[in-house]
């Protein structure tokens, strides 16, 4: 009988080992669809009414703040102004992210972005046009400061996006395109030297102050805490769960490469293991 049990015991042991191995390897349920790490963030951008409501909230708040500045305005004061970022602030880039996912990419792809920009598929972000028209109707100058680089035509592409969406002050005096830097502070200071800048709007803390351009998640959060009273008053922030300097804080690079190490690093960041 003892000899008869040995094959059964080996079978049971093998099954146990296999079960342990499978349980250790099973990161997702059997028969589940392949997961692209960008799916949830982009699905939220594409489908959540909350995403679009946050834009309306931001632009409603901006209008309230601007109305207050208009009410307080004294004769002889410099012209009021607002400074805005473009992509994911006044412009809706969701079509790019949809195309990226359809191509089975799971990290921002700079080449694909540069090819997408000239396609003129950007649209005005929810609430942006109404707010900017309110600015124009009240003689508030609108300045656009963006970081983009699609070669020689970069500036024209950006200007076309303003014109085609009907935004006011769509001209070379009011549009600044930084092709080799994301440091907007120099241009912001120039505008502030001749205008009363009431608001800065963007989807990246860097759109408000270069001081936020620091390494590490914790350092960035600590700086944000110092400015907490400015959010909703001088700084109006739009949501962006797909890209920005918050990604740089995790990876040390705003556009990390699509490597397995980086895919694991997303998971570490999501589970609180990010240093
Ligand atoms: Mg932006």
């Amino acid at each position: 009988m003892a000899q008869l049990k040995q094959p059964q015991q080996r079978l049971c042991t093998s099954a146990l080992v296999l079960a342990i191995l499978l349980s250790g390897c099973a990161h997702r349920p059997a028969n589940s669809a392949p997961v692209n790490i960008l799916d949830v963030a982009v699905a939220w951008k594409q489908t959540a009414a909350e995403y679009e409501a946050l834009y309306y909230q931001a632009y409603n708040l901006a209008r309230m703040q601007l109305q207050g500045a208009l009410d307080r305005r004294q004769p002889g004061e410099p012209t009021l102004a607002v400074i805005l970022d473009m992509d994911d602030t006044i412009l809706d880039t969701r079509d790019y992210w949809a195309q990226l996912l359809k191509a089975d990419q799971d990290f921002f792809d700079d080449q694909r972005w540069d090819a997408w920009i000239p396609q003129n598929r950007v649209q005005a972000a929810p609430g942006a046009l109404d707010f900017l028209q309110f600015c124009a109707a009240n003689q508030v100058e609108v300045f656009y400061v963006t970081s983009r680089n699609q070669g020689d035509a970069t500036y024209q592409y950006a200007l076309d996006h303003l014109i085609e969406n009907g935004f006011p002050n769509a001209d070379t005096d009011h549009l600044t395109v930084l092709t080799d830097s994301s440091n907007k502070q120099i241009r912001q200071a120039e505008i502030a030297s001749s205008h009363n800048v009431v608001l800065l709007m963007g989807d990246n803390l860097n759109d408000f102050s270069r001081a936020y351009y620091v390494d590490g998640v914790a350092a960035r959060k600590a700086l944000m805490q110092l400015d907490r009273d400015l959010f909703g008053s001088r700084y109006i922030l739009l949501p962006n769960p797909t890209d920005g300097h918050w990604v740089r804080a995790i990876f040390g690079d705003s556009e990390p490469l699509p490597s397995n190490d980086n895919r694991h690093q997303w998971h570490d960041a999501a589970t609180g293991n990010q240093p």
Side-chain angles (χ1 to χ4, degrees):
M1 289 296 287
Q3 285 179 332
L4 286 174
K5 281 183 180 174
Q6 283 178 354
Q8 291 174 327
Q9 286 172 337
R10 279 200 298 272
L11 189 60
C12 290
T13 303
S14 300
L16 183 61
V17 168
L18 183 61
I20 291 169
L21 285 173
L22 284 173
S23 68
C25 296
H27 295 296
R28 51 191 166 86
N31 302 321
S32 64
V35 172
N36 182 321
I37 51 177
L38 277 174
D39 278 349
V40 175
V42 177
W44 188 73
K45 272 185 153 180
Q46 294 279 22
T47 67
E50 289 85 348
Y51 172 74
E52 297 182 6
L54 283 169
Y55 272 81
Y56 288 120
Q57 179 173 272
Y59 282 111
N60 288 341
L61 191 52
R63 183 173 175 145
M64 287 167 53
Q65 294 294 356
L66 191 54
Q67 185 62 63
L70 287 165
D71 294 344
R72 293 189 298 273
R73 189 167 46 173
Q74 298 293 320
E77 281 190 359
T79 304
L80 300 188
V82 296
I83 302 176
L84 302 106
D85 169 54
M86 287 181 63
D87 300 315
D88 291 285
T89 297
I90 58 167
L91 295 174
D92 177 341
T93 69
R94 286 178 285 188
D95 179 77
Y96 163 77
W97 292 96
Q99 289 197 21
L100 190 76
L101 293 185
K102 285 176 187 171
D104 288 330
Q105 303 298 302
D106 60 356
F107 280 78
F108 179 87
D109 185 300
D110 202 34
Q111 275 191 315
R112 198 173 292 274
W113 172 256
D114 290 346
W116 181 80
I117 286 287
Q119 294 175 14
N120 285 333
R121 296 170 70 98
V122 288
Q123 297 181 337
L129 185 56
D130 281 349
F131 172 69
L132 294 177
Q133 287 176 340
F134 174 78
C135 293
N138 287 281
Q139 293 76 52
V140 176
E141 282 192 49
V142 178
F143 289 90
Y144 309 94
V145 183
T146 183
S147 298
R148 281 185 175 185
N149 192 345
Q150 288 80 42
D152 293 343
T154 300
Y155 193 90
Q156 192 59 50
Y157 292 150
L159 189 58
D160 287 348
H161 286 163
L162 298 180
I163 294 168
E164 286 161 11
N165 283 286
F167 295 135
N169 295 130
D171 55 51
T172 54
D173 288 340
H174 295 85
L175 170 63
T176 301
V177 181
L178 305 168
T179 56
D180 57 0
S181 170
S182 60
N183 185 355
K184 300 183 172 183
Q185 199 148 302
I186 296 166
R187 180 57 183 145
Q188 289 167 347
E190 282 177 0
I191 297 165
S193 70
S194 56
H195 292 71
N196 179 3
V197 177
V198 179
L199 295 171
L200 297 103
M201 300 188 69
D203 65 303
N204 186 331
L205 296 180
N206 185 69
D207 296 325
F208 309 134
S209 168
R210 190 61 170 175
Y212 289 118
Y213 196 72
V214 293
D215 293 333
V217 172
R220 209 159 170 270
K221 285 187 177 181
L223 285 169
M224 181 278 295
Q225 285 291 337
L226 297 176
D227 287 343
R228 58 195 292 176
D229 292 339
L230 295 175
F231 295 102
S233 55
R234 182 171 172 79
Y235 298 164
I236 306 287
L237 184 65
L238 289 310
N240 189 346
T242 55
D243 57 298
H245 285 157
W246 69 271
V247 175
R248 180 179 177 275
I250 296 170
F251 293 93
D253 188 336
S254 296
E255 298 168 9
L257 295 172
S259 69
N260 279 337
D261 280 351
N262 284 340
R263 292 183 183 98
H264 284 291
Q265 203 159 339
W266 274 129
H267 186 72
D268 288 344
T271 54
N273 290 328
Q274 180 72 23

